[in-house]
Amino acid sequence: KRQSGNQFYGLCIGLSLTMGVACIGPLTGCCLNSAVWVGSVMPAWMTGQLKNDLRDVWVYWIGTFLGAMVAGVWFNLLNGPESLKKMEEKVQQQMLLQDENAIDSDNFV
């Protein structure tokens, strides 16, 4: 409800991706995902087709983890402790539903 009527999510995601491509595309070939980077670099490394050495590998892994941590902290700062309470309530409800389904399936057999 809080976010209903917001039509700008797609625009924000698209602009973020565009900025990422524009900023690091010329440097890395624009591998924004570390798994994609590994999947494209490892075969090239194994066949000797790499033009650069692999000294910058750490950037893909450290950057991913630091970005996730910053995003988590930022989310908690913006949404506060009530978002955690809501998430815990949802998890408890799902666990209760799973328990009820398990009981129903035991009775069915």
PDB file of all heavy atoms in Angstrom, residues 72-104:
ATOM      1  N   GLY A  72      21.897  -3.619   2.584  1.00  0.00           N
ATOM      2  CA  GLY A  72      21.182  -4.088   3.776  1.00  0.00           C
ATOM      3  C   GLY A  72      21.107  -3.028   4.863  1.00  0.00           C
ATOM      4  O   GLY A  72      20.058  -2.806   5.467  1.00  0.00           O
ATOM      5  N   VAL A  73      22.222  -2.366   5.111  1.00  0.00           N
ATOM      6  CA  VAL A  73      22.243  -1.308   6.124  1.00  0.00           C
ATOM      7  C   VAL A  73      21.348  -0.154   5.699  1.00  0.00           C
ATOM      8  O   VAL A  73      20.565   0.376   6.495  1.00  0.00           O
ATOM      9  CB  VAL A  73      23.695  -0.817   6.377  1.00  0.00           C
ATOM     10  CG1 VAL A  73      23.716   0.448   7.202  1.00  0.00           C
ATOM     11  CG2 VAL A  73      24.499  -1.912   7.057  1.00  0.00           C
ATOM     12  N   TRP A  74      21.423   0.220   4.450  1.00  0.00           N
ATOM     13  CA  TRP A  74      20.615   1.322   3.928  1.00  0.00           C
ATOM     14  C   TRP A  74      19.128   0.991   4.039  1.00  0.00           C
ATOM     15  O   TRP A  74      18.314   1.828   4.412  1.00  0.00           O
ATOM     16  CB  TRP A  74      21.027   1.585   2.498  1.00  0.00           C
ATOM     17  CG  TRP A  74      20.547   2.859   1.905  1.00  0.00           C
ATOM     18  CD1 TRP A  74      19.799   2.975   0.786  1.00  0.00           C
ATOM     19  CD2 TRP A  74      20.770   4.188   2.365  1.00  0.00           C
ATOM     20  NE1 TRP A  74      19.549   4.288   0.521  1.00  0.00           N
ATOM     21  CE2 TRP A  74      20.131   5.066   1.482  1.00  0.00           C
ATOM     22  CE3 TRP A  74      21.444   4.730   3.441  1.00  0.00           C
ATOM     23  CZ2 TRP A  74      20.141   6.431   1.641  1.00  0.00           C
ATOM     24  CZ3 TRP A  74      21.451   6.096   3.603  1.00  0.00           C
ATOM     25  CH2 TRP A  74      20.811   6.925   2.715  1.00  0.00           C
ATOM     26  N   PHE A  75      18.754  -0.259   3.710  1.00  0.00           N
ATOM     27  CA  PHE A  75      17.364  -0.688   3.824  1.00  0.00           C
ATOM     28  C   PHE A  75      16.887  -0.580   5.270  1.00  0.00           C
ATOM     29  O   PHE A  75      15.804  -0.073   5.542  1.00  0.00           O
ATOM     30  CB  PHE A  75      17.211  -2.128   3.335  1.00  0.00           C
ATOM     31  CG  PHE A  75      15.820  -2.662   3.508  1.00  0.00           C
ATOM     32  CD1 PHE A  75      14.844  -2.385   2.562  1.00  0.00           C
ATOM     33  CD2 PHE A  75      15.486  -3.429   4.611  1.00  0.00           C
ATOM     34  CE1 PHE A  75      13.561  -2.866   2.715  1.00  0.00           C
ATOM     35  CE2 PHE A  75      14.210  -3.909   4.775  1.00  0.00           C
ATOM     36  CZ  PHE A  75      13.236  -3.632   3.820  1.00  0.00           C
ATOM     37  N   ASN A  76      17.709  -1.055   6.194  1.00  0.00           N
ATOM     38  CA  ASN A  76      17.316  -0.995   7.600  1.00  0.00           C
ATOM     39  C   ASN A  76      17.234   0.436   8.113  1.00  0.00           C
ATOM     40  O   ASN A  76      16.382   0.754   8.940  1.00  0.00           O
ATOM     41  CB  ASN A  76      18.278  -1.807   8.465  1.00  0.00           C
ATOM     42  CG  ASN A  76      18.055  -3.291   8.304  1.00  0.00           C
ATOM     43  OD1 ASN A  76      16.940  -3.731   8.016  1.00  0.00           O
ATOM     44  ND2 ASN A  76      19.106  -4.061   8.456  1.00  0.00           N
ATOM     45  N   LEU A  77      18.101   1.306   7.639  1.00  0.00           N
ATOM     46  CA  LEU A  77      18.023   2.713   8.049  1.00  0.00           C
ATOM     47  C   LEU A  77      16.748   3.375   7.526  1.00  0.00           C
ATOM     48  O   LEU A  77      16.124   4.177   8.220  1.00  0.00           O
ATOM     49  CB  LEU A  77      19.241   3.487   7.553  1.00  0.00           C
ATOM     50  CG  LEU A  77      20.551   3.202   8.274  1.00  0.00           C
ATOM     51  CD1 LEU A  77      21.699   3.935   7.576  1.00  0.00           C
ATOM     52  CD2 LEU A  77      20.475   3.611   9.730  1.00  0.00           C
ATOM     53  N   LEU A  78      16.372   3.050   6.311  1.00  0.00           N
ATOM     54  CA  LEU A  78      15.185   3.655   5.718  1.00  0.00           C
ATOM     55  C   LEU A  78      13.885   3.091   6.267  1.00  0.00           C
ATOM     56  O   LEU A  78      12.910   3.811   6.451  1.00  0.00           O
ATOM     57  CB  LEU A  78      15.206   3.489   4.196  1.00  0.00           C
ATOM     58  CG  LEU A  78      16.257   4.297   3.458  1.00  0.00           C
ATOM     59  CD1 LEU A  78      16.219   3.971   1.978  1.00  0.00           C
ATOM     60  CD2 LEU A  78      16.055   5.778   3.676  1.00  0.00           C
ATOM     61  N   ASN A  79      13.852   1.779   6.519  1.00  0.00           N
ATOM     62  CA  ASN A  79      12.606   1.123   6.898  1.00  0.00           C
ATOM     63  C   ASN A  79      12.466   0.886   8.392  1.00  0.00           C
ATOM     64  O   ASN A  79      11.369   0.623   8.867  1.00  0.00           O
ATOM     65  CB  ASN A  79      12.454  -0.189   6.147  1.00  0.00           C
ATOM     66  CG  ASN A  79      12.300   0.057   4.671  1.00  0.00           C
ATOM     67  OD1 ASN A  79      11.479   0.862   4.253  1.00  0.00           O
ATOM     68  ND2 ASN A  79      13.097  -0.616   3.875  1.00  0.00           N
ATOM     69  N   GLY A  80      13.551   0.923   9.102  1.00  0.00           N
ATOM     70  CA  GLY A  80      13.491   0.786  10.550  1.00  0.00           C
ATOM     71  C   GLY A  80      13.179  -0.621  11.018  1.00  0.00           C
ATOM     72  O   GLY A  80      13.058  -1.557  10.243  1.00  0.00           O
ATOM     73  N   PRO A  81      13.025  -0.774  12.326  1.00  0.00           N
ATOM     74  CA  PRO A  81      12.805  -2.106  12.902  1.00  0.00           C
ATOM     75  C   PRO A  81      11.436  -2.706  12.566  1.00  0.00           C
ATOM     76  O   PRO A  81      11.261  -3.909  12.660  1.00  0.00           O
ATOM     77  CB  PRO A  81      12.937  -1.874  14.414  1.00  0.00           C
ATOM     78  CG  PRO A  81      12.807  -0.415  14.614  1.00  0.00           C
ATOM     79  CD  PRO A  81      13.170   0.253  13.339  1.00  0.00           C
ATOM     80  N   GLU A  82      10.469  -1.885  12.151  1.00  0.00           N
ATOM     81  CA  GLU A  82       9.153  -2.444  11.847  1.00  0.00           C
ATOM     82  C   GLU A  82       9.203  -3.369  10.638  1.00  0.00           C
ATOM     83  O   GLU A  82       8.421  -4.320  10.544  1.00  0.00           O
ATOM     84  CB  GLU A  82       8.097  -1.357  11.636  1.00  0.00           C
ATOM     85  CG  GLU A  82       8.343  -0.450  10.458  1.00  0.00           C
ATOM     86  CD  GLU A  82       9.196   0.751  10.787  1.00  0.00           C
ATOM     87  OE1 GLU A  82       9.624   0.920  11.931  1.00  0.00           O
ATOM     88  OE2 GLU A  82       9.454   1.528   9.871  1.00  0.00           O
ATOM     89  N   SER A  83      10.141  -3.142   9.709  1.00  0.00           N
ATOM     90  CA  SER A  83      10.248  -4.035   8.559  1.00  0.00           C
ATOM     91  C   SER A  83      10.731  -5.414   8.998  1.00  0.00           C
ATOM     92  O   SER A  83      10.299  -6.432   8.465  1.00  0.00           O
ATOM     93  CB  SER A  83      11.193  -3.459   7.513  1.00  0.00           C
ATOM     94  OG  SER A  83      12.504  -3.378   8.030  1.00  0.00           O
ATOM     95  N   LEU A  84      11.605  -5.473  10.000  1.00  0.00           N
ATOM     96  CA  LEU A  84      12.069  -6.747  10.524  1.00  0.00           C
ATOM     97  C   LEU A  84      10.940  -7.482  11.221  1.00  0.00           C
ATOM     98  O   LEU A  84      10.782  -8.693  11.059  1.00  0.00           O
ATOM     99  CB  LEU A  84      13.246  -6.527  11.474  1.00  0.00           C
ATOM    100  CG  LEU A  84      13.903  -7.779  12.038  1.00  0.00           C
ATOM    101  CD1 LEU A  84      14.433  -8.646  10.913  1.00  0.00           C
ATOM    102  CD2 LEU A  84      15.016  -7.402  12.982  1.00  0.00           C
ATOM    103  N   LYS A  85      10.128  -6.759  11.973  1.00  0.00           N
ATOM    104  CA  LYS A  85       8.992  -7.389  12.642  1.00  0.00           C
ATOM    105  C   LYS A  85       8.014  -7.961  11.631  1.00  0.00           C
ATOM    106  O   LYS A  85       7.501  -9.068  11.796  1.00  0.00           O
ATOM    107  CB  LYS A  85       8.282  -6.379  13.541  1.00  0.00           C
ATOM    108  CG  LYS A  85       9.074  -5.974  14.761  1.00  0.00           C
ATOM    109  CD  LYS A  85       8.338  -4.941  15.572  1.00  0.00           C
ATOM    110  CE  LYS A  85       9.198  -4.437  16.713  1.00  0.00           C
ATOM    111  NZ  LYS A  85       8.561  -3.343  17.445  1.00  0.00           N
ATOM    112  N   LYS A  86       7.733  -7.210  10.581  1.00  0.00           N
ATOM    113  CA  LYS A  86       6.824  -7.698   9.540  1.00  0.00           C
ATOM    114  C   LYS A  86       7.376  -8.948   8.884  1.00  0.00           C
ATOM    115  O   LYS A  86       6.637  -9.894   8.609  1.00  0.00           O
ATOM    116  CB  LYS A  86       6.585  -6.617   8.487  1.00  0.00           C
ATOM    117  CG  LYS A  86       5.749  -5.466   8.980  1.00  0.00           C
ATOM    118  CD  LYS A  86       5.596  -4.410   7.905  1.00  0.00           C
ATOM    119  CE  LYS A  86       4.850  -3.200   8.432  1.00  0.00           C
ATOM    120  NZ  LYS A  86       4.751  -2.134   7.424  1.00  0.00           N
ATOM    121  N   MET A  87       8.677  -8.973   8.626  1.00  0.00           N
ATOM    122  CA  MET A  87       9.291 -10.133   7.999  1.00  0.00           C
ATOM    123  C   MET A  87       9.215 -11.339   8.925  1.00  0.00           C
ATOM    124  O   MET A  87       8.909 -12.448   8.487  1.00  0.00           O
ATOM    125  CB  MET A  87      10.745  -9.833   7.646  1.00  0.00           C
ATOM    126  CG  MET A  87      11.441 -10.965   6.923  1.00  0.00           C
ATOM    127  SD  MET A  87      10.680 -11.396   5.366  1.00  0.00           S
ATOM    128  CE  MET A  87      11.162 -10.018   4.387  1.00  0.00           C
ATOM    129  N   GLU A  88       9.466 -11.151  10.213  1.00  0.00           N
ATOM    130  CA  GLU A  88       9.373 -12.251  11.161  1.00  0.00           C
ATOM    131  C   GLU A  88       7.953 -12.796  11.230  1.00  0.00           C
ATOM    132  O   GLU A  88       7.744 -14.006  11.304  1.00  0.00           O
ATOM    133  CB  GLU A  88       9.835 -11.794  12.547  1.00  0.00           C
ATOM    134  CG  GLU A  88      11.332 -11.580  12.644  1.00  0.00           C
ATOM    135  CD  GLU A  88      11.757 -10.978  13.974  1.00  0.00           C
ATOM    136  OE1 GLU A  88      10.884 -10.567  14.775  1.00  0.00           O
ATOM    137  OE2 GLU A  88      12.974 -10.915  14.207  1.00  0.00           O
ATOM    138  N   GLU A  89       6.959 -11.918  11.196  1.00  0.00           N
ATOM    139  CA  GLU A  89       5.567 -12.358  11.208  1.00  0.00           C
ATOM    140  C   GLU A  89       5.243 -13.182   9.964  1.00  0.00           C
ATOM    141  O   GLU A  89       4.579 -14.218  10.053  1.00  0.00           O
ATOM    142  CB  GLU A  89       4.625 -11.157  11.300  1.00  0.00           C
ATOM    143  CG  GLU A  89       4.655 -10.454  12.636  1.00  0.00           C
ATOM    144  CD  GLU A  89       3.860  -9.154  12.629  1.00  0.00           C
ATOM    145  OE1 GLU A  89       3.229  -8.827  11.595  1.00  0.00           O
ATOM    146  OE2 GLU A  89       3.867  -8.466  13.664  1.00  0.00           O
ATOM    147  N   LYS A  90       5.722 -12.749   8.811  1.00  0.00           N
ATOM    148  CA  LYS A  90       5.484 -13.492   7.581  1.00  0.00           C
ATOM    149  C   LYS A  90       6.127 -14.874   7.633  1.00  0.00           C
ATOM    150  O   LYS A  90       5.542 -15.859   7.208  1.00  0.00           O
ATOM    151  CB  LYS A  90       6.023 -12.719   6.375  1.00  0.00           C
ATOM    152  CG  LYS A  90       5.178 -11.555   5.970  1.00  0.00           C
ATOM    153  CD  LYS A  90       5.762 -10.878   4.747  1.00  0.00           C
ATOM    154  CE  LYS A  90       4.969  -9.651   4.368  1.00  0.00           C
ATOM    155  NZ  LYS A  90       5.527  -8.977   3.186  1.00  0.00           N
ATOM    156  N   VAL A  91       7.344 -14.938   8.159  1.00  0.00           N
ATOM    157  CA  VAL A  91       8.042 -16.222   8.262  1.00  0.00           C
ATOM    158  C   VAL A  91       7.289 -17.158   9.198  1.00  0.00           C
ATOM    159  O   VAL A  91       7.116 -18.345   8.902  1.00  0.00           O
ATOM    160  CB  VAL A  91       9.500 -16.012   8.731  1.00  0.00           C
ATOM    161  CG1 VAL A  91      10.152 -17.324   9.113  1.00  0.00           C
ATOM    162  CG2 VAL A  91      10.304 -15.310   7.658  1.00  0.00           C
ATOM    163  N   GLN A  92       6.805 -16.638  10.331  1.00  0.00           N
ATOM    164  CA  GLN A  92       6.050 -17.460  11.266  1.00  0.00           C
ATOM    165  C   GLN A  92       4.757 -17.964  10.634  1.00  0.00           C
ATOM    166  O   GLN A  92       4.387 -19.126  10.806  1.00  0.00           O
ATOM    167  CB  GLN A  92       5.754 -16.677  12.542  1.00  0.00           C
ATOM    168  CG  GLN A  92       6.974 -16.475  13.414  1.00  0.00           C
ATOM    169  CD  GLN A  92       6.680 -15.605  14.633  1.00  0.00           C
ATOM    170  OE1 GLN A  92       5.604 -15.042  14.756  1.00  0.00           O
ATOM    171  NE2 GLN A  92       7.666 -15.489  15.517  1.00  0.00           N
ATOM    172  N   GLN A  93       4.072 -17.115   9.877  1.00  0.00           N
ATOM    173  CA  GLN A  93       2.850 -17.532   9.203  1.00  0.00           C
ATOM    174  C   GLN A  93       3.138 -18.620   8.181  1.00  0.00           C
ATOM    175  O   GLN A  93       2.401 -19.603   8.078  1.00  0.00           O
ATOM    176  CB  GLN A  93       2.180 -16.342   8.522  1.00  0.00           C
ATOM    177  CG  GLN A  93       1.550 -15.371   9.481  1.00  0.00           C
ATOM    178  CD  GLN A  93       1.021 -14.127   8.768  1.00  0.00           C
ATOM    179  OE1 GLN A  93       1.253 -13.939   7.582  1.00  0.00           O
ATOM    180  NE2 GLN A  93       0.330 -13.283   9.514  1.00  0.00           N
ATOM    181  N   GLN A  94       4.219 -18.473   7.434  1.00  0.00           N
ATOM    182  CA  GLN A  94       4.579 -19.488   6.447  1.00  0.00           C
ATOM    183  C   GLN A  94       4.936 -20.805   7.112  1.00  0.00           C
ATOM    184  O   GLN A  94       4.584 -21.875   6.612  1.00  0.00           O
ATOM    185  CB  GLN A  94       5.731 -18.994   5.577  1.00  0.00           C
ATOM    186  CG  GLN A  94       5.329 -17.907   4.622  1.00  0.00           C
ATOM    187  CD  GLN A  94       6.501 -17.356   3.839  1.00  0.00           C
ATOM    188  OE1 GLN A  94       7.666 -17.672   4.117  1.00  0.00           O
ATOM    189  NE2 GLN A  94       6.206 -16.523   2.857  1.00  0.00           N
ATOM    190  N   MET A  95       5.627 -20.730   8.252  1.00  0.00           N
ATOM    191  CA  MET A  95       5.982 -21.962   8.958  1.00  0.00           C
ATOM    192  C   MET A  95       4.725 -22.656   9.473  1.00  0.00           C
ATOM    193  O   MET A  95       4.620 -23.887   9.419  1.00  0.00           O
ATOM    194  CB  MET A  95       6.957 -21.658  10.096  1.00  0.00           C
ATOM    195  CG  MET A  95       8.338 -21.261   9.598  1.00  0.00           C
ATOM    196  SD  MET A  95       9.467 -20.792  10.917  1.00  0.00           S
ATOM    197  CE  MET A  95       9.622 -22.314  11.804  1.00  0.00           C
ATOM    198  N   LEU A  96       3.761 -21.881   9.967  1.00  0.00           N
ATOM    199  CA  LEU A  96       2.508 -22.473  10.422  1.00  0.00           C
ATOM    200  C   LEU A  96       1.760 -23.135   9.274  1.00  0.00           C
ATOM    201  O   LEU A  96       1.215 -24.231   9.424  1.00  0.00           O
ATOM    202  CB  LEU A  96       1.630 -21.405  11.088  1.00  0.00           C
ATOM    203  CG  LEU A  96       2.074 -20.924  12.461  1.00  0.00           C
ATOM    204  CD1 LEU A  96       1.204 -19.758  12.920  1.00  0.00           C
ATOM    205  CD2 LEU A  96       2.015 -22.059  13.465  1.00  0.00           C
ATOM    206  N   LEU A  97       1.744 -22.477   8.136  1.00  0.00           N
ATOM    207  CA  LEU A  97       1.086 -23.065   6.970  1.00  0.00           C
ATOM    208  C   LEU A  97       1.778 -24.350   6.535  1.00  0.00           C
ATOM    209  O   LEU A  97       1.117 -25.332   6.174  1.00  0.00           O
ATOM    210  CB  LEU A  97       1.069 -22.068   5.816  1.00  0.00           C
ATOM    211  CG  LEU A  97       0.096 -20.907   5.945  1.00  0.00           C
ATOM    212  CD1 LEU A  97       0.300 -19.924   4.798  1.00  0.00           C
ATOM    213  CD2 LEU A  97      -1.334 -21.411   5.962  1.00  0.00           C
ATOM    214  N   GLN A  98       3.099 -24.364   6.565  1.00  0.00           N
ATOM    215  CA  GLN A  98       3.832 -25.575   6.201  1.00  0.00           C
ATOM    216  C   GLN A  98       3.551 -26.694   7.190  1.00  0.00           C
ATOM    217  O   GLN A  98       3.399 -27.852   6.798  1.00  0.00           O
ATOM    218  CB  GLN A  98       5.331 -25.288   6.137  1.00  0.00           C
ATOM    219  CG  GLN A  98       5.735 -24.472   4.944  1.00  0.00           C
ATOM    220  CD  GLN A  98       7.201 -24.129   4.947  1.00  0.00           C
ATOM    221  OE1 GLN A  98       7.923 -24.362   5.925  1.00  0.00           O
ATOM    222  NE2 GLN A  98       7.668 -23.564   3.845  1.00  0.00           N
ATOM    223  N   ASP A  99       3.475 -26.368   8.484  1.00  0.00           N
ATOM    224  CA  ASP A  99       3.157 -27.376   9.486  1.00  0.00           C
ATOM    225  C   ASP A  99       1.753 -27.931   9.273  1.00  0.00           C
ATOM    226  O   ASP A  99       1.534 -29.135   9.368  1.00  0.00           O
ATOM    227  CB  ASP A  99       3.278 -26.797  10.903  1.00  0.00           C
ATOM    228  CG  ASP A  99       4.724 -26.545  11.309  1.00  0.00           C
ATOM    229  OD1 ASP A  99       5.636 -27.099  10.639  1.00  0.00           O
ATOM    230  OD2 ASP A  99       4.937 -25.786  12.267  1.00  0.00           O
ATOM    231  N   GLU A 100       0.805 -27.059   8.968  1.00  0.00           N
ATOM    232  CA  GLU A 100      -0.560 -27.508   8.710  1.00  0.00           C
ATOM    233  C   GLU A 100      -0.616 -28.393   7.475  1.00  0.00           C
ATOM    234  O   GLU A 100      -1.304 -29.407   7.462  1.00  0.00           O
ATOM    235  CB  GLU A 100      -1.488 -26.305   8.533  1.00  0.00           C
ATOM    236  CG  GLU A 100      -1.748 -25.546   9.818  1.00  0.00           C
ATOM    237  CD  GLU A 100      -2.543 -24.275   9.572  1.00  0.00           C
ATOM    238  OE1 GLU A 100      -2.950 -24.024   8.422  1.00  0.00           O
ATOM    239  OE2 GLU A 100      -2.745 -23.524  10.550  1.00  0.00           O
ATOM    240  N   ASN A 101       0.113 -28.023   6.439  1.00  0.00           N
ATOM    241  CA  ASN A 101       0.172 -28.843   5.221  1.00  0.00           C
ATOM    242  C   ASN A 101       0.808 -30.188   5.487  1.00  0.00           C
ATOM    243  O   ASN A 101       0.375 -31.211   4.946  1.00  0.00           O
ATOM    244  CB  ASN A 101       0.917 -28.117   4.103  1.00  0.00           C
ATOM    245  CG  ASN A 101       0.127 -26.928   3.576  1.00  0.00           C
ATOM    246  OD1 ASN A 101      -1.086 -26.874   3.713  1.00  0.00           O
ATOM    247  ND2 ASN A 101       0.832 -25.995   2.963  1.00  0.00           N
ATOM    248  N   ALA A 102       1.844 -30.219   6.322  1.00  0.00           N
ATOM    249  CA  ALA A 102       2.486 -31.474   6.673  1.00  0.00           C
ATOM    250  C   ALA A 102       1.532 -32.360   7.456  1.00  0.00           C
ATOM    251  O   ALA A 102       1.464 -33.577   7.224  1.00  0.00           O
ATOM    252  CB  ALA A 102       3.751 -31.214   7.468  1.00  0.00           C
ATOM    253  N   ILE A 103       0.770 -31.786   8.357  1.00  0.00           N
ATOM    254  CA  ILE A 103      -0.208 -32.562   9.134  1.00  0.00           C
ATOM    255  C   ILE A 103      -1.287 -33.098   8.219  1.00  0.00           C
ATOM    256  O   ILE A 103      -1.683 -34.258   8.308  1.00  0.00           O
ATOM    257  CB  ILE A 103      -0.793 -31.694  10.273  1.00  0.00           C
ATOM    258  CG1 ILE A 103       0.278 -31.416  11.326  1.00  0.00           C
ATOM    259  CG2 ILE A 103      -1.996 -32.372  10.910  1.00  0.00           C
ATOM    260  CD1 ILE A 103      -0.136 -30.391  12.356  1.00  0.00           C
ATOM    261  N   ASP A 104      -1.772 -32.267   7.305  1.00  0.00           N
ATOM    262  CA  ASP A 104      -2.805 -32.699   6.362  1.00  0.00           C
ATOM    263  C   ASP A 104      -2.292 -33.821   5.464  1.00  0.00           C
ATOM    264  O   ASP A 104      -3.002 -34.778   5.188  1.00  0.00           O
ATOM    265  CB  ASP A 104      -3.274 -31.531   5.495  1.00  0.00           C
ATOM    266  CG  ASP A 104      -4.093 -30.523   6.281  1.00  0.00           C
ATOM    267  OD1 ASP A 104      -4.571 -30.890   7.393  1.00  0.00           O
ATOM    268  OD2 ASP A 104      -4.231 -29.381   5.813  1.00  0.00           O
TER     269      ASP A 104
END
